[in-house]
Amino acid sequence: MNRKYVGEKLERARREGRLMLTEAESKAVLAAYGIPVVEEAVAASEDDAVARAKGMGFPVVLKGHGARLAHKTERGLVKLNLRSVTEVRRAYRRIKTAAGGDWEGCLVQPQVEGRREFVAGMFRDPQFGPTVMFGLGGVFAEALADAAFCIAPLSDVQADDLLDDIRGAKLLGDFRGEKAADRTELRRVLKGLSQLSLDRPEIAEVDINPLIVAPDGRVKAVDALVVLSENGVSAADGPGEGVPEAEALAIRRDLDAAFNAKSVAVVGAAPPREKGFMGMYACVRDFGYAGRLYPVNPNLDEIDGVKAYPDLVSLPEPVDLVVVSVPAPHVPDVLRDCVAAGCKTVHIFTAGFRETGEPEGIRLQEEMEKIAREGGLRVIGPNCMGVFAPRTQLVTWPAALKGAGSLAFVSQSGGNAQEFTKYAASRYGIHFSKAVSYGNALTLDGADFLDYLSRDDETEIVGMYIEGVKDGRRFLKMVGETNRRKPVIIFKGGLSETGARAVSSHTGALAGGAKIWRAFFRQTGAVPVDSIEEMADVALAFHCLKEIRGNRTCVLGYGGGSVVSVADNCAKAGLTLPAFSPALFGEVRKLVPPVGAMIRNPIDAAVAFQDVDVMGNILRLLAASDEIDNIIVFVPIDWLMNEGDGGGRHIEKVARFLAGQGRKLAGGKPVVGVWRQFVPDPENRKWVPVLEEILLSAGIPVYKGVPRAVNALAKAAAYYAFQERRGS
Amino acid sequence: MNRKYVGEKLERARREGRLMLTEAESKAVLAAYGIPVVEEAVAASEDDAVARAKGMGFPVVLKGHGARLAHKTERGLVKLNLRSVTEVRRAYRRIKTAAGGDWEGCLVQPQVEGRREFVAGMFRDPQFGPTVMFGLGGVFAEALADAAFCIAPLSDVQADDLLDDIRGAKLLGDFRGEKAADRTELRRVLKGLSQLSLDRPEIAEVDINPLIVAPDGRVKAVDALVVLSENGVSAADGPGEGVPEAEALAIRRDLDAAFNAKSVAVVGAAPPREKGFMGMYACVRDFGYAGRLYPVNPNLDEIDGVKAYPDLVSLPEPVDLVVVSVPAPHVPDVLRDCVAAGCKTVHIFTAGFRETGEPEGIRLQEEMEKIAREGGLRVIGPNCMGVFAPRTQLVTWPAALKGAGSLAFVSQSGGNAQEFTKYAASRYGIHFSKAVSYGNALTLDGADFLDYLSRDDETEIVGMYIEGVKDGRRFLKMVGETNRRKPVIIFKGGLSETGARAVSSHTGALAGGAKIWRAFFRQTGAVPVDSIEEMADVALAFHCLKEIRGNRTCVLGYGGGSVVSVADNCAKAGLTLPAFSPALFGEVRKLVPPVGAMIRNPIDAAVAFQDVDVMGNILRLLAASDEIDNIIVFVPIDWLMNEGDGGGRHIEKVARFLAGQGRKLAGGKPVVGVWRQFVPDPENRKWVPVLEEILLSAGIPVYKGVPRAVNALAKAAAYYAFQERRGS
């Protein structure tokens, strides 16, 4: 069947009131999309079945054929492994009897040999739309739940990644004397499903079960089912509508105006509160916003000597950003004022809308949505903390830190926006280009901010905290595109079932299953993290290490037990800690005597920390070696207190050496610092910030403890490996 | 066959020069141990085979039978699913031809129906000895590597745990219209293998493949192979010899004398060094050891005014503990002196022995082993930091902290011994009963210290850092027994492949595979941790929470995004965060208004932190509810800075409330505190230790960040669940 007739076939089934295609129809549709299906014929009579079987060669399979036949195995309508004419005749008669009034004929197929059974399919995820599935089949499939997903469309690389993502992927290689599965055919299956899902939005689901890999590696869809969606074309049917380019351009322009606002109005402005949250007006004012700041409050004439306006329409100018902090029931009126006053971009701090799950909150949010859409407003929020643009000296949350940098942060949660910006800056000295908390995403969603930031010259790394997304396909596309240019690090809240429950309460967003998000990360190459601390760790690695060429790592430390666990930490994070070649081992052995030291990688050598020349010589060896990509130096603060000049000054010496000559000797290979410090003596503790300061100033990322360091390094390395693999 | 004839059967095979039993012999051995095997008969002629097949009923299986027949499938000696006399005759002839000169007859079996295939077996782990295996079988077994282990002997509970530990355990339940596998029969298989391994040390391996579960749930071993060990009874063959009770008693007595030493000699004593490590003599002296301390050094007359002795024999008394800190080549002589002077217990600080991997180091260690064995010495070390007994004011490492408590720590690594004791005490105020670092374990191994500590009244919790163990079976037994009385927390270094490499270099110990250690933890109920920080976290939970009745947890927090991730953290750690019933939800709703709050568990409610009465009322509800076992209170330090009386005093108020009335209102349910603090303001930071101090003093464990808290709580809960299940 030619691909162009597929639509007619689907249309006919629907006209006949059938949402499920027959097995024969289903396979014809798949075959039209290049998917290898088992040879088959519909036999209209017993003799015909025998003739067909002889033509195909025994053994064969007979199955009932008919538009009303489902659950064929359970109804006794499938007879496998028929080896003779007698068996075919008997099977034909039995199936006919079992089918009763639903009988329309009999399907004859050769018995496909092959012990390796898989399943493949397509369904429409409510968040990400058409999604291709591949998994282990056969009797164990259900019990093992070994399946992986990929959001359509699929590239060849993505198809390969999907195949390799199941736990049983080994079965696709050479297997007990059987040939490796034909990758080209497998890719055709997955890409065929992908293309079909995009071409035919009226298809809700496709199920190929089993997809058998024969001993010669050839692949065959042996049974298949195509299911149409009940309501014709559904919401999550095809590529997202996305946002027209003109609209996207306008959003970027309006966001740029807001982040660089020359004028800001705070509606619901009030004198700073002494207790609890100080209020939006005080936040903006006290951070030192240098533009024109207008308090709006119909009940006040002035706030701390600044004239207050009764409403937005009374302002002397339309402002670049309106901040709304009035009780929820008044927010729709304020939005109407925004439209009337010609203010485009609005941050709504107020909460009490869809996230409450209560009818009144939901109704209010719907009303606001309508006003915003009709008035062309760009709404940040509601139920969020708004914006932080340090270069504009603009912030809508309390106690933000001064200082601007190149990390951007987009957060659905206001708490995380505040805490991450403070944490990253104070812990690691990583400052921000822009940050935004957008809560319920009335009009502007994560993808809109990402679209803006991907083109923002001030931004080199993007961090995101998201709970759900409104247009999954657009988000997927935007993250994938942005990630080519700058690393995108994503903390997805609500991956677990209970997490998802918390999310829906928190922002009324749709949280997807963990497996589909796994596909999302695998496809976009975005870096997944689980906490804001981990996001800061990974951001630091990107910030300091401009490129990472592999994950073969050498750890240079001092202190047996702690160094032993380094190897376990690396294995867990996915870094390899290769054993040195005899040649390299020999070179290191010349520098490090055997007693109390080990040098098989990890290197555990007091002498390297007692004498920086030894450390330098080791670094030189590692730099010259083609066995190692990255170097971790694990500094035991307490153990060095009494070395060298004593009193901890030796720690500073080691730090300065690493920051200067040591780094040079490493010859451009990433160097990562780690410290541990356990003795509760303030004299010891004070050297931690000294070490950190020296290393960070020199662009050497430094972490507390090995697990955090190797995790950050491994994730950054995976990013660069993804880019190289994708060929961008 | 009766069990008592098994030995004769094995003996005969060995006499005939056969290490592999035939399939029929193998199954006869297994049947003698109660393992359900498929019915079978050896047919001597074609007619006999037909008669047997008719007797069993078609379909049947024919297999070649003979002492020299291995790899039967590959040699074409197995014919499945024979449905008629004709097929049986044809199969018989073909097998006979294929077998050629190895032919001894033909095995006839009924074809066992069943899609659920497993494997089971027994082998001897070099570290833990006889070990039972259970895993997924069939075509996928190899690719999925879904197998779990249990060190023999197995109890019923352990057999069940082993079955449930495979990923495909779902297949053992009701499955696609087939009945759940017969648990009694499965247990008989596993326990039969276990008993066989203990009774017959000459068996190296048993392999049952496949073990089929029929549609009615019955279990049958369809093929089996018993392999004898090449050298008769091997080293890792049966229950470890262990240590005779009299010897164990003597070790306990000598260790007790050392930990409570009234006299200590330091051999190789020298004036304190200014740089690097101060030296052993100064460590002991400066910590304020109150007993009689003798410096021994033939080259000195006195150290800082204290008379030095030339050797141990010259001392006025045999000491309770000798500390050896002389160059490696001199250590054997010092040990000879110990024997001569009647000193029993020796700590050897010196390194440079087996851990170097160099011939001279290995030779020296062997020499020392001989001296120690012959002289009955108890040696701690070599290559270790020795002992810490705060109540005796005795320590052999620098900068130990004063203060005694009920946590004991046994560590193969000296670094970890020093760092953990300092960390746990200073971070959480958990002090120690005893600690020991024992390095290369010349005579005393982890099990010996555990044996002592399990009976030590000062010790309530035991932590261990181990890399390898010398007698795995004794260690298993000792951990299992101790763990009944007091929690044993174990940090195993070298679980990963590279980790294992580092271990063998570090202490010359044998590091086992991760899967066997998984069995170890599952069987003993010991609590596995991955770092000394995690060990302190878990120890704190045990220290504060005397019992935990379940893992249904409620989190009470404040701050959307961070609370959303709480649910993900709990899911990861294995705590459940049950949704409130409508009744409980309604009660909580009365206390917490909907705007900006969510109360579905986690509870995200500013009001609960602003007003401690509200917090108290929520705690009261949770205490009364049978839906919740544990309560986590997640305190946002920064967010509370400006509440109540301001300036952070509200944080102290919340802490004092929790420590006092709040805890009472929780009605005995475990309460765990967590804080987060991100604003880099010293004014905010200073409230963290205030909060921690108040909670810890009241016996409320408190952690930085939710992941550490839920991990510690989940692991402690698992310990109590294990004890309850075991019925101790």
Side-chain angles (χ1 to χ4, degrees), chain A residues 276 419 494 496 530 568 572 639, chain B residues 419 494 496 530 568 572 639 642:
Chain A
E419 294 183 339
S496 67
D530 275 340
D568 291 325
K572 209 167 185 173
W639 300 36
Chain B
E419 294 183 339
S496 66
D530 275 340
D568 291 325
K572 211 167 183 174
W639 300 36
N642 211 18

Side-chain angles (χ1 to χ4, degrees), chain B residues 560-636:
Chain B
S562 59
V563 178
V564 168
S565 57
V566 159
D568 291 325
N569 301 147
C570 285
K572 211 167 183 174
L575 289 182
T576 61
L577 210 60
F580 292 153
S581 65
L584 184 55
F585 183 90
E587 291 295 317
V588 179
R589 176 54 90 213
K590 283 182 205 158
L591 302 169
V592 181
V595 173
M598 65 179 185
I599 57 167
R600 301 200 207 175
N601 193 18
I603 300 175
D604 174 6
V607 65
F609 289 83
Q610 285 155 348
D611 181 349
V612 293
D613 289 339
V614 174
M615 183 180 283
N617 287 329
I618 295 173
L619 292 175
R620 195 199 315 266
L621 284 177
L622 297 174
S625 158
D626 58 3
E627 301 172 24
I628 296 295
D629 302 308
N630 313 299
I631 303 162
I632 293 178
V633 181
F634 184 14
V635 181

Side-chain angles (χ1 to χ4, degrees), chain A residues 393-466:
Chain A
Q393 280 184 255
L394 172 63
V395 72
T396 53
W397 59 69
L401 302 186
K402 302 280 179 179
S406 60
L407 174 58
F409 188 51
V410 178
S411 171
Q412 210 156 353
S413 148
N416 282 348
Q418 294 176 69
E419 294 183 339
F420 179 66
T421 49
K422 282 161 194 161
Y423 179 75
S426 62
R427 183 72 192 81
Y428 293 133
I430 310 179
H431 291 280
F432 288 79
S433 53
K434 276 104 184 175
V436 64
S437 142
Y438 65 93
N440 293 15
L442 189 77
T443 74
L444 295 175
D445 199 9
D448 297 299
F449 298 107
L450 205 50
D451 182 41
Y452 170 71
L453 293 168
S454 71
R455 288 167 174 80
D456 177 38
D457 290 337
E458 285 173 24
T459 299
E460 288 174 12
I461 304 165
V462 182
M464 300 190 86
Y465 170 76
I466 51 166

Side-chain angles (χ1 to χ4, degrees), chain B residues 308-321:
Chain B
Y309 294 81
D311 49 43
L312 289 169
V313 194
S314 317
L315 292 182
E317 60 176 337
V319 292
D320 293 325
L321 178 68

Side-chain angles (χ1 to χ4, degrees), chain A residues 81 83 87 115-117 136-144 146 167-168 170-171 175-176 209 273-278 351-352 355-358 383 399 401 413-416 418-420 422-423 426 465 467 491-506 530 532-533 559-565 567-572 577-580 589 594-602 604 636 638-639 642-645 676-680 685 704-705 707-708, chain B residues 81 83 87 115-117 136-144 146 167-168 170-171 175-176 209 273-278 351-352 355-358 383 399 401 413-416 418-420 422-423 426 465 467 491-506 530-533 559-565 567-572 577-580 589 594-602 604 636 638-639 642-645 676-680 685 704-705 707-708:
Chain A
N81 212 20
R83 307 188 197 180
E87 288 187 8
R115 294 181 296 171
R116 292 173 290 176
E117 290 186 24
L136 209 59
V139 63
F140 293 151
E142 205 177 310
L144 292 172
D146 185 13
R167 290 197 305 266
K170 255 195 182 175
L171 284 166
F175 178 76
R176 288 188 172 187
N209 183 5
R273 274 187 289 269
E274 306 252 316
K275 224 168 123 169
F277 177 57
M278 68 206 297
E355 82 281 3
T356 61
E358 317 264 328
N383 181 27
L401 302 186
S413 148
N416 282 348
Q418 294 176 69
E419 294 183 339
F420 179 66
K422 282 161 194 161
Y423 179 75
S426 62
Y465 170 76
E467 294 175 352
F491 173 15
K492 167 75 177 81
L495 276 179
S496 67
E497 205 195 334
T498 38
R501 193 175 68 233
V503 165
S504 73
S505 176
H506 182 226
D530 275 340
I532 65 173
E533 289 90 343
S562 60
V563 177
V564 168
S565 57
D568 291 325
N569 300 148
C570 285
K572 209 167 185 173
L577 209 60
F580 292 153
R589 178 53 89 212
V595 173
M598 66 180 183
I599 58 166
R600 302 200 208 173
N601 193 18
D604 173 7
D638 300 322
W639 300 36
N642 211 18
E643 299 289 350
D645 297 337
R676 66 178 198 276
Q677 196 282 316
F678 293 107
V679 176
R685 284 187 176 154
K704 177 182 180 179
R708 293 177 71 167
Chain B
N81 212 21
R83 306 188 197 180
E87 289 187 6
R115 294 180 296 171
R116 291 172 291 176
E117 291 186 25
L136 209 59
V139 63
F140 293 151
E142 203 178 310
L144 292 172
D146 186 12
R167 290 198 305 267
K170 255 194 180 175
L171 283 166
F175 178 75
R176 288 188 172 188
N209 183 7
R273 275 188 288 271
E274 306 253 316
K275 226 167 121 168
F277 176 56
M278 67 205 300
E355 81 282 3
T356 61
E358 318 264 328
N383 181 26
L401 302 186
S413 149
N416 283 348
Q418 294 176 69
E419 294 183 339
F420 179 66
K422 282 160 195 163
Y423 180 75
S426 62
Y465 170 76
E467 294 175 353
F491 172 15
K492 166 76 178 81
L495 276 179
S496 66
E497 204 193 334
T498 39
R501 193 176 66 232
V503 165
S504 72
S505 177
H506 181 226
D530 275 340
S531 66
I532 65 174
E533 289 89 342
S562 59
V563 178
V564 168
S565 57
D568 291 325
N569 301 147
C570 285
K572 211 167 183 174
L577 210 60
F580 292 153
R589 176 54 90 213
V595 173
M598 65 179 185
I599 57 167
R600 301 200 207 175
N601 193 18
D604 174 6
D638 300 323
W639 300 36
N642 211 18
E643 299 289 350
D645 297 338
R676 65 180 197 275
Q677 196 281 315
F678 293 108
V679 176
R685 284 186 177 155
K704 177 181 181 182
R708 294 178 71 167

